[in-house]
Amino acid sequence: MPEPTQHSVRETFDSGIPPQHGTSSVIVVGAGLAGLAAAHELTRQGVTVTVLEADSRPGGRTWTLREPFADGLRAEAGAMTVTEHCHYTMHYLKEMGIGTEPSDLVDTDFGYHRNGVRIPPDKVGEHADLLGLHPDERHLTVEGMIARYVTEFNEKLGPEIAQPVWAPTPRLLELDRVSVRRVLEERGASAAAIGLMEPFFLEMRGGELESASAMAWARYESGPRSFSTAGAQWYKVEGGTDMLARALASRLGERILYRKPVVRIAQDDREAQVTFLDHGRLRTLCADRVVVTAPFSSMRRVNLSMARLSAAKHAAIRRLRYASTVRVFLQMRRKFWPERRLMLSTDTAVRTVRDATPHLPGPRRIVECWLTGWQAQAAAAMSPEERVAYALNELEPILPGARENFELGTSVAWDNEPYAAGAYILPEKGHSELMAAIRAPEGRIHFAGEHTAFEPNGGSMNYALESSIRVLMEMSSP
Ligand SMILES: Cc1cc2nc3c(=O)[nH]c(=O)nc-3n(C[C@H](O)[C@H](O)[C@H](O)COP(=O)(O)OP(=O)(O)OC[C@H]3O[C@@H](n4cnc5c(N)ncnc54)[C@H](O)[C@@H]3O)c2cc1C
């Protein structure tokens, strides 16, 4: 059978995944969405599946925080949006009987907070000196800047960047060798304009635009999920994003073993062996195949010396970069700000400030400080208590009254989560060199998860789910 493509995976998924031949047992490493979907589909096919999960909950980077908040408030530490173009996410939500509702990220009163001044995106020209815009940018709104510097650029790249099914061409591969910042600067964008547009480059927010691949960015920005093209209706999962993982996990029941971090993976001609910690003792399970869904940031800590992996795979595991993100959630006694749906891009250390609970009933609100890049790394180095105090301190001048209305806070620093060690993949310059090696199966060991997607910017639930279907196709091929 030829290597699966994005197109063939979709066709197979829609027409029915073929049964497995010659595989009767599979160990899945990780109970995030990729692992859960793979295990769910394999179980349906009668394969004996064991899921080894290091954490005490399913879902991985889909993680809805319900504690320590009052009044039933909740906040998303990880994934929070889905669009109608997320074919696989929508499919599994439907199958599990879970609904969607409009996302918190659209229909906001988005604005900038720069040098202590609140600036709406259509009024940036009025603050051109304060912002440091070039003379020829002064008449532009942020939308206009995106049209000039991003949309026009993507249009020039033509259909090869925007095809629904991805296949990087030589011209796009050239683009993979330069950074997002360089492309924007070459098009004449000032540092100020780049700073104003950056909040719209969602997947690059963890990142230094200096190192991010322009190819990966252009591909994302030309697609329907992009914030700047707004080509899709944005939704969130009713009841919290973790509902999907919880529903899949409940179908799998005791096939999932929690608090079982995998520490070694090996294979020989007969079987694959997975060694994990079971309350401090090493245990090994054997199976026909292994599906590894743990992010490479976590796999770097697993002993793979007996896994018979190619040099290219080892290199990809070592090199793949992840974005740094810290999300701090501050419960406020009441909504004390004038905006209907608060969302601010700030030039302070807490970067994005938003009302994380605009749709939830009751007087209380959770204000989120969403830190990325080096600011996230600085906050990740703090203790949890310091992090909350630090965010509150930064918030007070942005939202006067924050300290007075603050009740309690919590945070997630994704770099510190031991089995994530980062938020989502950050495709750096040269990412195309790694892509095939990241997802290639190695004997009895298969690789799924967001990082193995066909899309260079695969950091989404949808591509994590897609990767599971690809792995099932790989395994069913004789
Ligand atoms: C802050 C943030 C915002 C995001 N926003 C969105 C969004 O709005 N929309 C969207 O679609 N996506 C979003 N994403 C991305 C999305 O959450 C991920 O792409 C997706 O959930 C990844 O699923 P996965 O199964 O590939 O990996 P994971 O969810 O990371 O699952 C891997 C699992 O493996 C386990 N594991 C790791 N190492 C080991 C080990 N050694 N032994 C055993 N188990 C191990 C982990 O504990 C984890 O449960 C966001 C992610 C983050 C962090």
Side-chain angles (χ1 to χ4, degrees):
M1 183 179 149
E3 222 183 284
T5 62
Q6 198 169 13
H7 185 66
S8 70
V9 172
R10 173 71 181 265
E11 265 187 357
T12 302
F13 185 67
D14 290 348
S15 60
I17 304 165
Q20 301 298 316
H21 296 293
T23 299
S24 56
S25 59
V26 174
I27 297 168
V28 176
V29 180
L33 288 180
L36 291 167
H40 174 65
E41 297 296 349
L42 286 165
T43 304
R44 269 216 275 237
Q45 296 190 344
V47 175
T48 302
V49 180
T50 307
V51 183
L52 296 172
E53 169 54 53
D55 213 329
S56 51
R57 61 169 180 89
R61 283 169 283 168
T62 60
W63 188 11
T64 308
L65 303 179
R66 295 160 206 281
E67 303 286 337
F69 307 119
D71 297 352
L73 291 176
R74 59 172 187 270
E76 299 296 349
M80 55 197 287
T81 52
V82 55
T83 76
E84 73 255 47
H85 297 284
C86 297
H87 184 68
Y88 302 92
T89 315
M90 286 303 199
H91 169 96
Y92 284 109
L93 285 172
K94 195 162 166 216
E95 187 185 324
M96 299 293 138
I98 301 167
T100 54
E101 52 194 8
S103 164
D104 305 339
L105 287 184
V106 288
D107 188 25
T108 64
D109 297 325
F110 177 78
Y112 296 95
H113 180 93
R114 295 285 191 270
N115 273 0
V117 179
R118 281 283 224 294
I119 307 172
D122 56 346
K123 299 268 176 351
V124 290
E126 291 172 23
H127 302 270
D129 289 334
L130 175 125
L131 293 167
L133 291 170
H134 285 166
D136 70 335
E137 292 170 336
R138 288 166 184 242
H139 67 286
L140 294 174
T141 59
V142 176
E143 209 178 312
M145 291 174 194
I146 290 171
R148 178 194 280 185
Y149 297 127
V150 184
T151 317
E152 223 175 72
F153 176 72
N154 279 343
E155 278 167 7
K156 282 204 183 117
L157 285 173
E160 60 195 280
I161 192 74
Q163 282 171 17
V165 169
W166 172 254
T169 58
R171 190 157 67 127
L172 298 181
L173 290 176
E174 248 173 63
L175 202 56
D176 189 37
R177 287 192 270 280
V178 295
S179 73
V180 178
R181 182 170 287 277
R182 186 156 139 213
V183 166
L184 292 170
E185 282 173 353
E186 280 177 359
R187 293 189 57 73
S190 64
I194 294 172
L196 292 172
M197 291 185 290
E198 200 185 337
F200 292 89
F201 305 157
L202 261 192
E203 301 300 314
M204 295 296 163
R205 288 171 55 146
E208 303 87 49
L209 298 185
E210 288 76 10
S211 60
S213 155
M215 178 196 79
W217 167 76
R219 171 70 184 160
Y220 184 85
E221 287 305 321
S222 63
R225 275 173 61 224
S226 155
F227 235 7
S228 55
T229 54
Q233 193 67 40
W234 287 49
Y235 301 100
K236 63 180 178 177
V237 177
E238 214 168 60
T241 313
D242 66 348
M243 298 296 282
L244 180 55
R246 285 160 59 162
L248 284 162
S250 79
R251 304 253 176 134
L252 290 164
E254 61 193 45
R255 291 183 189 89
I256 307 177
L257 307 183
Y258 291 109
R259 288 198 187 270
K260 302 287 180 286
V262 168
V263 293
R264 186 172 64 219
I265 300 174
Q267 64 174 324
D268 56 32
D269 296 338
R270 287 176 306 114
E271 62 185 13
Q273 301 105 24
V274 180
T275 304
F276 56 97
L277 278 175
D278 186 2
H279 300 283
R281 292 166 71 169
L282 289 178
R283 266 180 67 192
T284 299
L285 288 180
C286 301
D288 294 329
R289 294 177 192 260
V290 178
V291 178
V292 177
T293 71
F296 280 1
S297 41
S298 175
M299 288 308 293
R300 294 199 260 269
R301 299 160 182 174
V302 173
N303 180 350
L304 300 169
S305 56
M306 306 288 277
R308 294 186 178 177
L309 301 185
S310 63
K313 181 74 81 184
H314 279 294
I317 291 173
R318 272 196 315 275
R319 272 181 58 189
L320 187 62
R321 175 96 188 274
Y322 284 78
S324 295
T325 296
V326 169
R327 303 181 76 166
V328 186
F329 302 101
L330 306 170
Q331 181 182 304
M332 300 292 174
R333 192 160 45 94
R334 64 184 176 88
K335 174 181 173 299
F336 58 90
W337 52 89
E339 288 88 350
R340 197 177 46 98
R341 295 208 177 147
L342 178 76
M343 177 125 178
L344 290 173
S345 157
T346 79
D347 54 1
T348 71
V350 289
R351 295 203 78 162
T352 302
V353 170
R354 58 183 284 268
D355 179 356
T357 46
H359 293 106
L360 295 181
R364 291 191 162 73
R365 289 280 193 274
I366 297 173
V367 173
E368 173 179 2
C369 298
W370 187 340
L371 289 67
T372 52
W374 67 264
Q375 286 99 334
Q377 289 161 9
M382 299 172 192
S383 72
E385 296 75 24
E386 279 173 340
R387 207 175 291 138
V388 166
Y390 171 78
L392 187 59
N393 205 41
E394 291 290 309
L395 192 62
E396 181 63 34
I398 304 166
L399 291 186
R403 202 169 283 121
E404 188 192 324
N405 286 284
F406 170 73
E407 291 182 322
L408 53 90
T410 190
S411 65
V412 172
W414 281 101
D415 286 2
N416 297 354
E417 288 302 310
Y419 299 104
Y424 31 74
I425 68 159
L426 183 61
E428 289 192 297
K429 283 184 284 180
H431 184 68
S432 61
E433 294 159 20
L434 303 183
M435 284 175 69
I438 291 171
R439 68 169 177 268
E442 305 264 353
R444 296 174 178 279
I445 307 174
H446 298 260
F447 293 84
E450 59 148 39
H451 53 295
T452 67
F454 295 101
E455 291 289 332
N457 241 315
S460 82
M461 300 186 279
N462 192 53
Y463 295 125
L465 293 166
E466 179 195 60
S467 72
S468 309
I469 309 306
R470 172 188 42 79
V471 158
L472 262 75
M473 287 170 69
E474 286 168 7
M475 294 193 336
S476 66
S477 110

